[in-house]
Amino acid sequence: MTKKTMLETVFPNANTNNGVTFTEENIDQDYKDGWRYIVWVGGNDDYYKNYKDAKRDYDEWEDKGYDGIYLEEINPHGEDIILEKKEIENGTIPK
């Protein structure tokens, strides 16, 4: 089994000749800009410079009942690491 990057996990159809293209250069630039963590919620991303803030927001989304949440660490060479995740369970948005 090949380890998937966060982009491959969240956007499995990216870079497959469908007009949606992501490059590793974007991730590297984010790292250069000081960003170290990303919290993904349903394909939407928020960037953080420290783990404490990223973890707080990840937990808040989970406490609100959302799923499809990922906390990812940005690495300088584009191989990001998923630190925590809550998979999509029922595909509904909490009220």
Side-chain angles (χ1 to χ4, degrees):
M1 176 185 246
T2 304
K3 181 179 173 184
K4 291 185 176 184
T5 66
M6 186 64 210
L7 289 175
E8 292 169 329
T9 302
V10 175
F11 301 104
N13 296 321
N15 298 337
T16 57
N17 297 322
N18 64 355
V20 179
T21 305
F22 294 100
T23 65
E24 297 300 334
E25 293 172 2
N26 293 340
I27 298 297
D28 291 338
Q29 185 59 50
D30 292 335
Y31 192 90
K32 289 177 189 175
D33 291 342
W35 303 111
R36 296 297 181 262
Y37 301 93
I38 306 172
V39 174
W40 296 84
V41 182
N44 296 304
D45 55 348
D46 287 320
Y47 286 74
Y48 301 87
K49 294 190 176 188
N50 65 67
Y51 176 79
K52 179 181 166 186
D53 291 340
K55 175 65 172 147
R56 180 196 65 233
D57 284 358
Y58 175 92
D59 290 341
E60 286 178 6
W61 285 112
E62 188 173 30
D63 291 345
K64 291 177 182 178
Y66 284 81
D67 54 15
I69 311 166
Y70 298 84
L71 172 54
E72 176 180 342
E73 181 178 6
I74 301 171
N75 286 320
H77 302 293
E79 287 297 319
D80 299 345
I81 300 168
I82 298 172
L83 302 176
E84 294 194 41
K85 65 181 177 178
K86 182 172 183 198
E87 298 287 351
I88 296 174
E89 296 173 0
N90 58 20
T92 60
I93 298 173
K95 294 180 181 179

